[in-house]
Amino acid sequence: MDNILDDMEHRVRKIIADHRGEAGFPDLESYGVTEKQFDDYLFDKQAIIDDDESLKKKYTIYSIVFLIPFVVIAFYDTTVKNALIAAASGGVLCLIYYLIAMIISKIRMSRLNNEAIERYIADIIRFQDQRPAPQPGSSDTPRESAGF
């Protein structure tokens, strides 16, 4: 299953699945968090991240926002000067939309923020990063058989 998206939620869940029973692996209960709270938090955080990263949605909205001044000016006088004004206005509207979207995303993330869960996530990522990489030919690496 190498085709699973490499996102925050899948990465954290894979680390937990691979190392949960190992000595020294962080225990969720010691952070004062239930499994349901953790699952809900991880899902909600990934939804916010995915919403921020949806390029198709962003480009569609930016295109519409950029074209609004052209539509408004088309009802009036369609000169080169007005087209330049519409382009500048569209650019300004896109910048305003970008700033508002960024602020809303930060507000959503700050409302969701749970320090105990964030510490747990950081600790399990640190646990995995501190583990030595498996050596070739060791028992951790599956050996390929020479099936001639």
Side-chain angles (χ1 to χ4, degrees), residues 48 100-113:
I48 293 171
I100 291 171
M102 189 172 62
I103 290 169
I104 289 171
S105 177
K106 287 186 185 229
I107 290 171
R108 286 177 64 198
M109 204 57 103
S110 68
R111 284 185 183 164
L112 179 68
N113 194 22

Side-chain angles (χ1 to χ4, degrees), residues 69-70 73-89:
F70 287 98
I73 288 181
F75 288 115
Y76 299 105
D77 188 22
T78 55
T79 63
V80 173
K81 178 184 170 189
N82 287 344
L84 292 174
I85 291 171
S89 300

Side-chain angles (χ1 to χ4, degrees), residues 52 58 62 96-106:
D52 287 344
K58 278 185 179 180
Y62 283 122
I96 291 170
Y97 173 76
Y98 171 77
L99 293 173
I100 291 171
M102 189 172 62
I103 290 169
I104 289 171
S105 177
K106 287 186 185 229

Side-chain angles (χ1 to χ4, degrees), residues 44-62:
D44 292 342
K45 185 170 183 173
Q46 188 61 50
I48 293 171
I49 292 170
D50 289 344
D51 191 38
D52 287 344
E53 294 177 353
S54 173
L55 290 178
K56 184 176 180 181
K57 177 183 170 186
K58 278 185 179 180
Y59 289 150
T60 302
I61 293 173
Y62 283 122

